Amino acid sequence: MAQWERDERLARAFLELADTLAEGFYLVDFLHVLTDHMLDLLDVTAIGVVMVDVQGRLVDVTASTHTAQQLEEEQVEFDEGPCKDCRLLHEQVGPVDLTLPATAERWPRFTKSARAAGFATVAAIPLRLRDEVIGAVNVFHCDPVGIHPASLRLGQALADAATIGILHQRLSRDQAERVGQLQTALNSRITIEQAKGVVGALLRVTPDAAFEHLRAHARGHRTSLTKVCQLVVEGRLAVETFGLPQDRQPDA
């Protein structure tokens, strides 16, 4: 990516992460915006996001790939890993070399799963504002030294911007809406998983490829990923048109 392209993408990232008061705000879509920008700007392999629910528990919300999503789910299930430590410490964790014996002792089950998935290093970045931590972002790379400190500094700046945007949006809603926001995100994730299954089965592609089809369709039609997935699940969007030129596709 040329420097001018990177600068333009960086400016667009901060602008989009600040835009949380528009109608039709979906937390899961907003977090996909965050993961997309991080993936492009940090030069990493995959991104995953967990959030803190109203009971103070970590819940996996979204990821840039199906594999990273599974790791986030396992991290919550195992109750170990960088995101948990990040949330407890209220600070960045890593980068941690997953190939080292000490890491396997620290997070035995998470490390085994992450290594099996092909990742060699991981870091966790808090979604925080001052002392309040509302979640964490996992950053994965296939190279043991692939995550550069400068990338994590930029990642933290993007995470901070996203946190401010989310909290600003919550403050504009009443208490009931704020409590329900995360549950809506989790429901959206279920719909996305269902849509990935439908697209994968019909197009005979992997879950990651199915996810890319869905995201590309949403971006191409300037609509919400959640809305596209809902239409797919309900059978109201022809999956067979995915990948065709945009002018030959029906609007979502």
Side-chain angles (χ1 to χ4, degrees):
M1 185 186 297
Q3 186 61 47
W4 70 268
E5 291 177 305
R6 181 179 173 81
D7 291 344
E8 183 180 272
R9 182 64 187 262
L10 187 58
R12 188 166 74 251
F14 282 107
L15 180 62
E16 290 180 1
L17 292 174
D19 185 21
T20 58
L21 296 183
E23 288 297 321
F25 174 84
Y26 294 100
L27 179 60
V28 72
D29 288 336
F30 178 74
L31 292 175
H32 275 300
V33 170
L34 174 63
T35 60
D36 281 350
H37 285 308
M38 281 190 164
L39 207 57
D40 281 352
L41 292 166
L42 305 189
D43 189 27
V44 294
T45 306
I47 305 284
V49 183
V50 298
M51 299 287 288
V52 178
D53 70 8
V54 292
Q55 282 80 40
R57 301 168 303 191
L58 283 178
V59 291
D60 64 284
V61 179
T62 191
S64 62
T65 68
H66 182 71
T67 302
Q69 182 78 63
Q70 289 180 313
L71 279 176
E72 296 306 299
E73 293 172 2
E74 291 175 356
Q75 186 171 186
V76 172
E77 178 187 348
F78 297 155
D79 195 30
E80 65 175 44
C83 275
K84 180 186 177 184
D85 290 1
C86 179
R87 185 272 177 102
L88 291 175
L89 297 171
H90 287 212
E91 63 184 30
Q92 193 176 107
V93 172
V96 178
D97 187 341
L98 292 165
T99 67
L100 297 177
T103 307
E105 292 178 7
R106 181 179 183 182
W107 307 315
R109 291 176 292 180
F110 172 80
T111 301
K112 181 179 179 180
S113 293
R115 292 293 295 127
F119 298 121
T121 189
V122 66
I125 299 169
L127 290 165
R128 72 176 178 212
L129 181 62
R130 301 184 183 90
D131 293 331
E132 183 174 5
V133 175
I134 63 172
V137 179
N138 259 160
V139 179
F140 298 94
H141 206 290
C142 295
D143 188 327
V145 292
I147 301 177
H148 194 277
S151 293
L152 289 183
R153 290 193 293 271
L154 176 55
Q156 187 65 70
L158 293 169
D160 289 346
T163 305
I164 292 170
I166 292 169
L167 293 176
H168 191 198
Q169 200 275 339
R170 287 181 179 178
L171 287 173
S172 72
R173 309 299 179 188
D174 62 32
Q175 181 64 27
E177 286 180 308
R178 295 203 300 271
V179 169
Q181 184 185 70
L182 181 55
Q183 185 58 51
T184 299
L186 296 176
N187 293 341
S188 294
R189 185 175 68 79
I190 292 170
T191 300
I192 291 169
E193 291 300 312
Q194 291 173 333
K196 283 162 59 177
V198 172
V199 173
L202 289 176
L203 300 186
R204 298 182 180 180
V205 296
T206 66
D208 281 340
F211 190 35
E212 285 305 312
H213 276 295
L214 290 163
R215 292 204 297 179
H217 189 90
R219 286 194 295 264
H221 290 78
R222 297 180 179 275
T223 190
S224 145
L225 175 65
T226 299
K227 181 179 177 182
V228 169
C229 290
Q230 187 66 49
L231 291 172
V232 168
V233 170
E234 293 173 355
R236 294 194 288 134
L237 180 59
V239 173
E240 293 80 2
T241 65
F242 283 22
L244 294 177
Q246 187 171 326
D247 59 4
R248 292 177 57 192
Q249 297 184 25
D251 291 334

